[in-house]
Amino acid sequence: MKYDFDTVIDRKGSGDLKHDLLKKLWGREDLIPLWVADMDFAVCPAIVDALKQRMQHPVFGYTGKSADFWPSVVDWIRTHHQWEVQAEWLKFIPGIVKGIGMVTNVFTEPGQKIICQPPVYHPFRITPQRNGRRVVWNPLVRRGDGYYDMDFDNLAEVCDEDCKVLILCNPHNPAGLCWSRETLVRLADFCYEHHLLVVSDEIHCDMALFGRRHVPFASVSEKARNNSITFQAPTKTFNIAGIVSSYCIVPDASIRERFFSWIEANEFDEAPLFSSVATVTAYRHGEEWRRQMLEYVEGNVLLVEDFCREHMPQIRPLRPQASFLVWLDCTALHLQHDQLTDLFVNKAHLALNDGEMFGPGGEGFMRMNVGEPRAVIRQALAQLAAAIG
Ligand SMILES: Cc1ncc(COP(=O)(O)O)c(C=O)c1O
C-alpha cells in the first residue's frame, strides 16, 4: 500500500499546539508553523482503525495494557536495533520529558548538578532547573563539516562531585545526529568512572535517515548497560504524541529497583487505554508506513538542501542523520538574534524554533520541521528566499 504524505491537512481547530500557540509565541497567526516536533501527516491507517475499533466498545473504564504490549516493544527493539531487552527491564512512563523529571527527583537532590550537551532539546535544561537542580553545560564542538563531536576534555573539566546525571540525546535533537558506537563507549566509560548516571533519550531512534543506524546507548558496553536509563517511544515516529506512550529501559537491577519502585508508588506506569492500542498497532503493523514516511522525509531534506544551494546559499542546512528536523546554519546572514527572528517571522512568515533556545552553540541557527507535505516545504522555502532577497 502506498501511503499519502502529500495531502495538506488543516489542523486548525483541532487544538494542536503548532497552530494554537502561534499568537502567544510570535504575536501573529499568519505563519507557516514548522516548529513543534510533530508531523503534519495523517497517522498510519492501521492505528486509526485499531483506535476506532476500540471505540466501538462503549465503556472506557480503567483498563490494563494489552497482553501484547511488552512483547511488541521487545520485538520492535530486537528487530530494529539488534538489542535484546528483557521484559523486566521495561516500564511505561507517561512521556519522556516527564521521565526526565522523574529521574531528576529520584536520582538527584536539590542543588545537585545535571550535565547536558548543548545545543540540545531545551527541556533537558528546563526540567532540572525547574526542579531546583543546577545544569552544567558541556557544549558540543562543531566540526568543519558542520557536524558535532562531544568534548571529552571539557567534560572532565566541568564534572565535579555534585554532578550526578548526564542527559544524552541519542539521536541528537536539534542537529539530527546519530552518535557513533565509539563515542558512546567513551561516554559510557567516563560516566561510569565519575558516577554519573546516563539518561539516554532515544525518542528519535526509529527515524535514522540516509542509511544511518541508531546505536542504543545501553547496548554499547557493560558500563553503559549498568549505568543508564534509556527512554524510547513510538510517539514521534508514528505521529501519535497526543496519545502519549513511552517507556524506560533499565537493565541494571539496582537502578531499576530504585526507579521502578518510585514510579509504581506514584502509579505513573499505568498506560492510558488508547496508548496501549496505538503502541501495539504501531509496532505490529506500522513498519511499512514508517519506511515510506522516512523516505518522504528524506525527499524533503533533499529539497531543502537543493533549494538553499540554488536560491539562498546563506542558509546552510545540516543533513540530519535521523528524524524530521533540519538544523539550518544561518550564520552567513550575519544577523543578530532579533534580526534573524524578525526575518523568519515578520518577513518570511515562518515559525521555526530559533537556535538560541537550545543553549550555547545554537546562536545563528534555526530548526526547521520537515515532517510536512512537500507543498508546504516548497511554500516555506519560497517565502524565506523572497524575504532574504
Ligand atoms: C529529544 C526529545 N525528547 C523528548 C521529546 C518529547 O517527548 P515527550 O512528548 O514524550 O515528553 C522530544 C520532542 O520533541 C524530543 O525531541
Side-chain angles (χ1 to χ4, degrees), residues 267-295:
E267 294 190 356
F268 288 130
D269 57 334
E270 292 187 355
L273 164 55
F274 294 112
S275 310
S276 176
V277 175
T279 302
V280 172
T281 314
Y283 285 166
R284 291 296 186 206
H285 305 288
E287 177 60 5
E288 182 53 28
W289 184 93
R290 182 189 75 98
R291 278 176 206 262
Q292 291 186 29
M293 179 276 289
L294 293 178
E295 213 177 292

Side-chain angles (χ1 to χ4, degrees), residues 37 94-98 100 121 124 169 171 173 201 203-204 233 235-236 241 245-246 325 367:
I96 289 181
V97 175
K98 294 176 188 72
I100 290 170
Y121 182 55
F124 286 17
C169 203
N173 170 11
D201 177 340
I203 195 169
H204 296 277
T235 46
K236 285 275 158 211
S245 181
S246 31
L325 306 166
R367 192 193 74 176

Side-chain angles (χ1 to χ4, degrees), residues 9-22 29:
I9 299 169
D10 187 1
R11 290 178 68 179
K12 284 200 200 98
S14 72
D16 71 304
L17 296 184
K18 224 182 224 169
H19 291 92
D20 268 18
L21 293 183
L22 286 176
E29 280 174 334

Side-chain angles (χ1 to χ4, degrees), residues 25-28 31 330 333-357 362-366 384 387:
L25 297 178
W26 285 279
R28 55 195 304 163
L31 308 175
C330 308
L333 288 168
H334 303 294
L335 297 176
Q336 298 299 318
H337 176 256
D338 289 352
Q339 296 171 310
L340 187 61
T341 310
D342 182 59
L343 171 74
F344 273 77
V345 177
N346 297 319
K347 310 236 163 37
H349 294 246
L350 303 176
L352 277 70
N353 297 82
D354 77 81
E356 278 196 14
M357 70 187 290
E363 305 84 359
F365 284 77
M366 287 279 177
L384 185 56

Side-chain angles (χ1 to χ4, degrees), residues 211-264:
R212 305 291 303 207
R213 290 199 75 85
H214 166 71
V215 180
F217 174 77
S219 73
V220 300
S221 69
E222 280 297 296
K223 285 179 182 165
R225 178 192 181 282
N226 296 336
N227 185 38
S228 62
I229 294 176
T230 298
F231 293 135
Q232 293 186 358
T235 46
K236 285 275 158 211
T237 312
F238 292 98
N239 208 24
I240 51 173
I243 286 180
V244 181
S245 181
S246 31
Y247 48 89
C248 55
I249 310 171
V250 189
D252 180 78
S254 62
I255 300 173
R256 206 162 60 223
E257 162 58 24
R258 191 166 164 192
F259 196 34
F260 286 9
S261 57
W262 187 88
I263 292 175
E264 282 164 19

